[in-house]
Amino acid sequence: MDQSLLIFVTVAKMKNFSRAAEALHMTQPAVSLQIRSLENKFGVRLLERTHRTVRLTQAGEMLLAQAQDILDRYEELAAMMDDLQQGEVGHLAIGASYTFGEYVLPRILAKFCKAYPRVSTAISIENTRQVAEGILRREHDVGIVEGELDHPELETFPLFEDELMVIVPAGHPLACGFEADPDELAAQRWIVREPGSGTREAADRMFAATGLCPSAVMELGSTQIIKESVEAGLGVSLLSTRAVAKEVRLGILAMLRLRGHRIRRTFSAVLHRYRYHIRAVDHFMAVLREESGTLQGCGPPW
Amino acid sequence: MDQSLLIFVTVAKMKNFSRAAEALHMTQPAVSLQIRSLENKFGVRLLERTHRTVRLTQAGEMLLAQAQDILDRYEELAAMMDDLQQGEVGHLAIGASYTFGEYVLPRILAKFCKAYPRVSTAISIENTRQVAEGILRREHDVGIVEGELDHPELETFPLFEDELMVIVPAGHPLACGFEADPDELAAQRWIVREPGSGTREAADRMFAATGLCPSAVMELGSTQIIKESVEAGLGVSLLSTRAVAKEVRLGILAMLRLRGHRIRRTFSAVLHRYRYHIRAVDHFMAVLREESGTLQGCGPPW
DNA sequence: CTTATCATATAAGCTAATCATATGAAACAG
DNA sequence: CTGTTTCATATGATTAGCTTATATGATAAG
């Protein structure tokens, strides 16, 4: 901050060097020197020191207006930086995987936005791989993905577990039970997500683990489309229980475990390991962790 | 000026500490220190120093915008002060006596305004006494009065001489000659200005000097009204030759010398002796003096 | 006319901020 | 592995800015 302007403005307001000095917690000669150095710098008289009062010259009047303005902007700047330092303000670019972004994030985000209304947010819903790339490219401040990422520049923070189950339409022959045998499932038409998706990866792992080799596979790029398609009887799928909670409650879809298997994965927050992040990121992470606790036990309704 | 902001902005633009230092004619460590002190002051990282390039953090972006703005305002301020220092800009409150203000000042002012278009002016037309008071009260920067003022806080600069002559209407018996005898004038109805006016003072001095004691005297508060009144045959008056030049050329009024007398007075510029005055005042005084030379010889047309 | 009082200016010495020089450390490129 | 680039750190020097002490100047009071 430019001290001399503040000193000048104070003197101009108080019309008295000594009292201005007092207000500024300095001595009167220091004020005199500062004023004079300003006058010398601009080559203009700023104050007319007549006996017992100080009067502004025309130059002084002009300087006062401008100096006030500049000092106000310093105030503003300091407030801005302080807010930012406290994480009360800023912009958070969040990259989230489909399942988390569409079915979990909204409620977490609502909490965060309520607590930090002056932090603006931008959500990108992408698959796991894209989120990781976005963070490495510094397009996102935080990411949330399924599973852990193994990259030296990325740091992952496991949040909570998610279970995936086989989804079938309400009237389906398998819909009556809680579990299904692999060979029962092999005969189904399968619907899966695109490669790069965490949900797809989970499906692939399940197929590999059980030796399942479904005859018919359809690939769709969004969880919502898959749900609608399963409802419409186009096939069965493996989805996060969180993604189909509503449909199950409504009796539109049913979910089954694969006998002898529990297909689980962990949602993790991801940060760039070396990049400086603003304080608001810490606050967001705190809200994430806090909400993870309440979501921990969320599983199938039985 | 706040050096650290300038340094930050330079680094932010160049994205390189060393080159910024070069541009600012300082060494690289000095730049590093300044940036760090800014970061400490705000408690926020401003620049991410990755190898071979410098990237702005969010705080840095915000600071950059605000700092740019503040620096621009400093520029503006410096330019303003410089203009003022050079007398190119400012405001000039001019107090002028009636005769000078109405009949001489306009052309001088035109010259001045052409030379210094960014200096604004305010003209107060008052009588000599009021001009002096206005300057003492610091309401005027410059005054122009008739005669010299004797006040310790006022400094007068004689400009040029002015002659006053007796004004009669065109058809008047005295209008045929160039001179008039005091006793011829004593019989006339006289019109004079109000007390406090330099023109009135000149008339009073003439009456005293010649022993003239006019029987009928009318007092009017403006030269223009007096001219119109003389034209209308209401009486005769004593006015500056400059105030009636047009009317004489048109043959509407005639002017006469009082035999054996030349009634002269000097127009003077007046400044407050102790008050600081802006540079534009000097320029105005220069124009005044310059124009005074060309006006010096202006007298009656014979 | 002298003295007291108030307000700013000046002088001298000290402190602390700021700078430059020299050097170190990290990250690449060849 | 070595040279180069670039920022960080350490240290001594410079200087700007502050304080204390005192002067000056203008008015008010005795």
Side-chain angles (χ1 to χ4, degrees):
Chain A
M1 224 262 291
D2 191 340
Q3 201 64 9
S4 60
L5 285 192
L6 178 61
I7 293 172
F8 171 75
V9 169
T10 309
V11 173
K13 276 185 186 162
M14 301 211 168
K15 305 205 174 301
N16 182 307
F17 280 57
S18 310
R19 272 183 241 167
E22 209 175 314
L24 293 163
H25 304 293
M26 17 183 347
T27 57
Q28 170 265 313
V31 172
S32 285
L33 286 171
Q34 287 282 356
I35 297 292
R36 190 165 54 176
S37 90
L38 264 186
E39 288 182 330
N40 289 338
K41 184 161 137 190
F42 292 132
V44 187
R45 207 95 215 269
L46 296 171
L47 297 168
E48 268 190 87
R49 289 86 141 171
T50 63
H51 182 65
R52 209 167 287 267
T53 184
V54 168
R55 183 195 312 273
L56 285 166
T57 64
Q58 231 179 82
E61 295 281 2
M62 289 169 73
L63 178 64
L64 178 61
Q66 192 75 2
Q68 276 279 15
D69 198 56
I70 291 177
L71 291 177
D72 285 350
R73 271 155 209 280
Y74 268 107
E75 286 283 318
E76 209 178 298
L77 172 59
M80 239 165 69
M81 290 294 117
D82 196 51
D83 279 352
L84 212 123
Q85 198 269 324
Q86 307 216 281
E88 296 294 333
V89 106
H91 181 81
L92 225 54
I94 303 168
S97 63
Y98 281 90
T99 304
F100 187 90
E102 290 179 348
Y103 297 98
V104 186
L105 184 56
R107 262 167 300 172
I108 294 178
L109 206 57
K111 275 243 166 131
F112 178 77
C113 289
K114 201 170 168 187
Y116 302 96
R118 290 156 65 210
V119 176
S120 68
T121 50
I123 315 295
S124 300
I125 303 289
E126 303 166 333
N127 66 40
T128 296
R129 188 197 308 155
Q130 290 167 327
V131 169
E133 282 166 3
I135 290 179
L136 289 171
R137 274 201 302 271
R138 294 163 200 260
E139 287 162 7
H140 305 144
D141 296 300
V142 197
I144 298 137
V145 297
E146 291 124 12
E148 305 211 357
L149 294 169
D150 190 27
H151 189 286
E153 291 187 22
L154 294 180
E155 194 167 12
T156 59
F157 302 87
L159 296 173
F160 57 91
E161 293 224 317
D162 183 44
E163 181 166 6
L164 292 98
M165 293 180 73
V166 178
I167 309 302
V168 301
H172 195 275
L174 293 174
C176 47
F178 293 151
E179 297 200 321
D181 288 318
D183 48 320
E184 280 178 324
L185 291 174
Q188 303 296 323
R189 285 212 305 244
W190 277 87
I191 307 179
V192 295
R193 285 278 304 279
E194 82 286 356
S197 149
T199 300
R200 165 64 174 272
E201 201 183 306
D204 286 345
R205 273 206 307 272
M206 178 194 74
F207 291 146
T210 60
L212 221 69
C213 191
S215 51
V217 174
M218 177 185 273
E219 198 175 292
L220 293 175
S222 118
T223 305
Q224 185 60 34
I225 300 177
I226 291 178
K227 288 196 299 187
E228 299 285 343
S229 302
V230 171
E231 272 179 53
L234 278 175
V236 303
S237 187
L238 185 78
L239 290 180
S240 163
T241 57
R242 292 172 208 278
V244 294
K246 274 185 202 151
E247 285 78 2
V248 169
R249 272 223 302 280
L250 286 169
I252 299 169
L253 293 177
M255 46 190 190
L256 319 163
R257 283 216 178 95
L258 187 63
R259 193 181 314 281
H261 289 85
R262 293 198 66 166
I263 303 160
R264 291 226 184 89
R265 60 184 182 184
T266 305
F267 284 125
S268 297
V270 192
L271 296 181
H272 196 292
R273 194 182 292 274
Y274 305 115
R275 182 181 175 192
Y276 170 82
H277 55 261
I278 59 173
R279 195 77 195 283
V281 170
D282 298 334
H283 293 319
F284 181 73
M285 290 292 284
V287 172
L288 263 186
R289 265 189 270 261
E290 195 182 306
E291 289 301 295
S292 293
T294 72
L295 290 166
Q296 193 60 259
C298 182
W302 63 88
Chain B
M1 224 263 291
D2 191 339
Q3 201 63 8
S4 60
L5 286 191
L6 178 61
I7 293 171
F8 171 75
V9 168
T10 309
V11 173
K13 277 184 187 162
M14 300 209 168
K15 305 207 174 301
N16 183 309
F17 281 56
S18 309
R19 273 183 239 168
E22 208 174 314
L24 292 164
H25 304 293
M26 19 186 338
T27 57
Q28 170 264 312
V31 172
S32 284
L33 284 172
Q34 288 282 355
I35 298 292
R36 190 166 53 176
S37 89
L38 264 186
E39 288 181 330
N40 288 339
K41 183 162 138 192
F42 293 131
V44 187
R45 208 95 215 266
L46 296 172
L47 298 169
E48 269 191 87
R49 291 85 142 172
T50 62
H51 184 66
R52 208 166 289 265
T53 183
V54 168
R55 183 194 313 271
L56 284 165
T57 65
Q58 231 178 83
E61 295 281 2
M62 289 169 74
L63 178 65
L64 177 60
Q66 191 76 1
Q68 275 278 16
D69 198 55
I70 290 177
L71 291 177
D72 285 350
R73 273 155 208 279
Y74 268 106
E75 286 282 318
E76 209 177 298
L77 172 59
M80 241 165 70
M81 291 293 117
D82 197 50
D83 279 352
L84 212 126
Q85 198 269 324
Q86 307 215 281
E88 297 293 335
V89 106
H91 181 78
L92 227 51
I94 303 169
S97 63
Y98 281 90
T99 304
F100 187 90
E102 292 180 348
Y103 296 98
V104 187
L105 184 55
R107 263 167 298 172
I108 293 178
L109 205 59
K111 275 243 165 129
F112 178 76
C113 289
K114 202 169 168 187
Y116 301 97
R118 290 157 65 209
V119 176
S120 68
T121 51
I123 315 294
S124 300
I125 303 289
E126 304 167 333
N127 66 40
T128 296
R129 190 198 305 157
Q130 292 168 326
V131 169
E133 284 166 2
I135 290 179
L136 288 171
R137 274 200 303 272
R138 295 162 198 261
E139 287 163 5
H140 304 147
D141 296 301
V142 197
I144 298 135
V145 297
E146 292 123 12
E148 304 211 356
L149 293 170
D150 190 26
H151 189 287
E153 290 188 22
L154 294 180
E155 193 167 12
T156 59
F157 302 88
L159 296 173
F160 56 92
E161 293 225 317
D162 184 42
E163 179 167 8
L164 292 97
M165 293 177 75
V166 178
I167 309 302
V168 301
H172 195 276
L174 292 173
C176 47
F178 291 152
E179 296 200 320
D181 287 320
D183 47 324
E184 281 178 324
L185 292 173
Q188 303 296 322
R189 285 212 305 243
W190 277 87
I191 306 178
V192 296
R193 284 279 303 279
E194 83 286 355
S197 150
T199 300
R200 165 64 173 272
E201 201 184 306
D204 286 346
R205 273 206 309 271
M206 177 193 73
F207 292 146
T210 59
L212 220 67
C213 190
S215 51
V217 172
M218 180 186 270
E219 198 175 291
L220 292 176
S222 116
T223 304
Q224 186 59 34
I225 300 178
I226 292 178
K227 289 196 298 186
E228 299 284 343
S229 302
V230 171
E231 273 178 52
L234 278 175
V236 303
S237 187
L238 185 78
L239 290 180
S240 162
T241 58
R242 291 172 207 279
V244 294
K246 274 184 200 150
E247 284 79 2
V248 169
R249 272 223 302 279
L250 287 169
I252 299 168
L253 293 177
M255 45 190 190
L256 321 163
R257 283 219 176 93
L258 186 62
R259 194 179 314 282
H261 290 83
R262 291 199 68 166
I263 303 160
R264 293 224 183 91
R265 60 181 180 184
T266 304
F267 284 125
S268 297
V270 192
L271 295 180
H272 196 293
R273 195 183 291 274
Y274 305 116
R275 183 183 174 190
Y276 170 82
H277 55 260
I278 59 174
R279 195 76 195 282
V281 170
D282 299 333
H283 292 321
F284 181 71
M285 290 291 285
V287 172
L288 263 185
R289 266 189 270 263
E290 196 182 305
E291 289 301 295
S292 294
T294 72
L295 291 166
Q296 195 60 262
C298 182
W302 65 86

